Amino acid sequence: LLKKEVKQINFLNIDYKNMFDGIFVCVSLLHLSNDDLIIVLKNLEFSKREVIMENLEGVERLKSDIINDNNKKVCFICTANINRSAVSHLLFEDKLLKEGIENISVVSAGFLPVSQKISKEDLSLGQDYEKILADFEVDQDLISNFYSEEFSDKHIDSDYFIVVSQKHKTLLIRKYNIS
């Protein structure tokens, strides 16, 4: 389709310098230990031509808030909140629940207006994603109670925003004055 080579490698083996315009890493970063996550984020940062990941400080702040039992809210954002941000949200929330961490609340949202979606089924997670989350032993109640949400005032008060792309970050800054 792209007619370009696609590499599939372990995150810890990434050792490229100034090679890529963008990197798609999906939600599997959530499965790394905290120490490995810092290493991987630094490696990914150096492998991009333009560094747009100033998130290492944010990761460290979130880690500190978790450890220090500070009440914080994390919001995962993508376009429609039915795939990327939804899966990230559910994986992260499940991990927090299993670790007994109660001071971090998790929400997710999309910028696509919900009114453009056709039915209630369109607001829920797709079966393929439900199966993947079940394979990761994510709590079934979390999965079945998830519905896509449009970004709104409910999300603006989040302490951390985890976005899928620079486009989503730019929209947060320009439209909602969140930086």
Side-chain angles (χ1 to χ4, degrees), residues 140-157:
Q140 186 58 45
D141 286 338
L142 285 178
I143 297 169
S144 59
N145 291 323
F146 178 84
Y147 290 97
S148 173
E149 294 184 23
E150 181 179 346
F151 190 82
S152 67
D153 290 342
K154 169 186 175 180
H155 304 95
I156 289 175
D157 68 345

Side-chain angles (χ1 to χ4, degrees), residues 53-134:
M53 276 180 63
E54 63 273 354
N55 298 329
L56 292 177
E57 290 141 14
V59 169
E60 285 298 318
R61 273 195 330 272
L62 178 57
K63 184 176 165 183
S64 175
D65 284 332
I66 291 170
I67 292 168
N68 294 314
D69 208 25
N70 297 329
N71 290 324
K72 298 294 177 179
K73 184 175 180 180
V74 176
C75 182
F76 291 89
I77 298 174
C78 71
T79 303
N81 190 223
I82 55 174
N83 297 324
R84 301 165 295 182
S85 61
V87 171
S88 301
H89 167 170
L90 293 168
L91 282 169
F92 190 58
E93 186 171 14
D94 185 70
K95 184 171 180 78
L96 293 172
L97 287 171
K98 287 178 178 168
E99 296 287 330
I101 298 169
E102 299 176 356
N103 59 307
I104 306 295
S105 64
V106 184
V107 295
S108 60
F111 288 130
L112 184 67
V114 170
S115 61
Q116 291 184 9
K117 297 179 182 130
I118 299 167
S119 69
K120 182 94 169 159
E121 288 177 358
D122 289 332
L123 298 176
S124 64
L125 207 55
Q127 287 182 346
D128 48 348
Y129 290 104
E130 286 182 14
K131 182 181 178 333
I132 290 167
L133 290 168

Side-chain angles (χ1 to χ4, degrees), residues 5-58:
E5 179 184 6
V6 175
K7 296 187 184 284
Q8 182 178 355
I9 59 175
N10 182 302
F11 290 125
L12 293 170
N13 296 332
I14 294 173
D15 189 27
Y16 299 100
K17 303 289 185 245
N18 301 318
M19 185 171 179
F20 302 108
D21 293 321
I23 301 169
F24 178 74
V25 293
C26 200
V27 296
S28 44
L29 286 175
L30 293 173
H31 300 286
L32 295 171
S33 70
N34 289 336
D35 292 338
D36 285 347
L37 180 61
I38 298 302
I39 292 167
V40 168
L41 288 175
K42 286 179 181 174
N43 287 346
L44 290 173
E45 182 177 13
F46 292 124
S47 66
K48 291 185 66 178
R49 286 193 184 109
E50 284 186 53
V51 177
I52 60 170
M53 276 180 63
E54 63 273 354
N55 298 329
L56 292 177
E57 290 141 14

